Amino acid sequence: MNNFEAIILGILQGLTEYLPVSSSGHLVIGSTLFGIEGENNLTFTIVVHVATVLSTLVILRKEIWQLLKGIFCKEWNNDKEYALSIIISMIPIAIVGLLFKDVIEDIFGEGLTIVGVMLLVTATLLAFAYYAKPRNKEKISYLDAFIIGIAQAIAVMPGLSRSGSTIATGLILGNKKENLAQFSFLMVIPPIVGEALLDTLKAVGEGTEAAFGSISLMPLLLGFVAAFVSGCFACKWMINIVKRGKLIYFAIYCAIVGTLSLILA
């Protein structure tokens, strides 16, 4: 992987982690077009995922700090209730990630065909959420949090957008647009960190050569910076997009890219 390819893949990871268009799917498409195996290089994958987590912490630093202060208060409050909803939403992805992630990858792989199909599913979800009748629930209930968590767990499929699935599911359940983007981004931080840790353990188990491959320090650094900067942009932009209810444009984009992926496959 050269420096240019690392920058492009880093930008793809940062942008598509939060935009409802599937980061894993776009990394597969980008790697295929470049003729490299960027998604299979564990070190690069870990680095760009850590960069996107840091971008979330930067953009949502005030909200996260307020949440932490509320959690450590003695009295039960809205912040503790919100944190509990996030924890509940993480249960399905924890089960799938620990027990079934490798099985799913073995069964479906990461080729352009499955990516194309899942991008079309993402497009359908976003379109359905866009036209669903809003109910504007004031709070995300524990049950809704768990169902949104199930959507996140299903999004381990390559090409199925994590943010798209969770936000669309929340909208279909009748939750307010203003609450969903922040909730969606906060609930994905622990799974992304957990996935990075699992990849790290996998890299250690397979040895140094399997982890690093032929990649050098400079592409890693450039990929990290590209993913961090684009992640900051995408996180902030996506929050405003969800508030304005403009997800239909991403549905159209996913439909086009999904169709092209199937043709290329």
Side-chain angles (χ1 to χ4, degrees):
M1 181 186 302
N2 60 41
N3 293 342
F4 175 75
E5 292 166 346
I7 292 173
I8 296 300
L9 291 176
I11 292 173
L12 278 175
Q13 166 63 27
L15 284 177
T16 57
E17 185 65 54
Y18 300 109
L19 299 182
V21 294
S22 176
S23 61
S24 63
H26 277 72
L27 280 177
V28 171
I29 294 171
S31 299
T32 301
L33 292 176
F34 285 137
I36 61 176
E37 297 180 352
E39 183 70 346
N40 291 329
N41 190 300
L42 291 176
T43 302
F44 185 81
T45 302
I46 293 168
V47 166
V48 293
H49 275 86
V50 170
T52 51
V53 169
L54 290 178
S55 68
T56 310
L57 297 179
V58 169
I59 297 300
L60 298 178
R61 59 189 182 279
K62 293 181 180 179
E63 292 80 358
I64 294 173
W65 177 244
Q66 181 63 39
L67 188 62
L68 290 174
K69 289 195 296 185
I71 290 174
F72 289 103
C73 288
K74 293 183 179 179
E75 300 82 9
W76 183 261
N77 52 42
N78 290 333
D79 291 322
K80 289 184 178 179
E81 185 175 345
Y82 190 77
L84 182 56
S85 296
I86 292 176
I87 293 173
I88 291 173
S89 73
M90 289 160 45
I91 295 174
I93 189 62
I95 295 173
V96 172
L98 291 173
L99 300 179
F100 302 108
K101 185 174 183 293
D102 290 338
V103 176
I104 292 173
E105 289 179 353
D106 290 339
I107 294 175
F108 295 100
E110 294 182 339
L112 287 180
T113 300
I114 185 64
V115 167
V117 171
M118 289 298 107
L119 281 171
L120 292 177
V121 172
T122 300
T124 304
L125 270 175
L126 292 173
F128 191 79
Y130 178 77
Y131 290 108
K133 186 177 180 180
R135 283 174 285 169
N136 291 327
K137 296 179 184 177
E138 289 299 324
K139 290 184 178 181
I140 298 174
S141 67
Y142 295 145
L143 177 59
D144 283 2
F146 185 75
I147 295 173
I148 294 172
I150 293 175
Q152 179 180 218
I154 296 173
V156 299
M157 298 286 291
L160 187 57
S161 170
R162 178 158 34 195
S163 63
S165 298
T166 54
I167 292 173
T169 300
L171 289 173
I172 292 170
L173 291 172
N175 292 283
K176 293 180 70 173
K177 295 180 290 185
E178 293 80 1
N179 299 334
L180 277 172
Q182 178 178 309
F183 183 82
S184 175
F185 295 160
L186 289 176
M187 70 181 279
V188 303
I189 292 177
I192 292 176
V193 174
E195 185 176 1
L197 289 174
L198 288 176
D199 286 342
T200 301
L201 293 175
K202 184 178 180 181
V204 172
E206 294 183 358
T208 304
E209 185 177 352
F212 288 91
S214 59
I215 193 169
S216 59
L217 180 60
M218 184 55 67
L220 287 177
L221 180 60
L222 292 174
F224 177 90
V225 173
F228 175 78
V229 174
S230 59
C232 287
F233 172 77
C235 184
K236 193 169 184 177
W237 187 33
M238 188 60 193
I239 291 174
N240 293 327
I241 288 174
V242 174
K243 289 180 180 179
R244 296 173 184 175
K246 302 296 185 181
L247 294 179
I248 190 62
Y249 299 117
F250 292 102
I252 296 171
Y253 172 82
C254 287
I256 294 173
V257 176
T259 302
L260 290 175
S261 297
L262 290 176
I263 294 173
L264 288 173

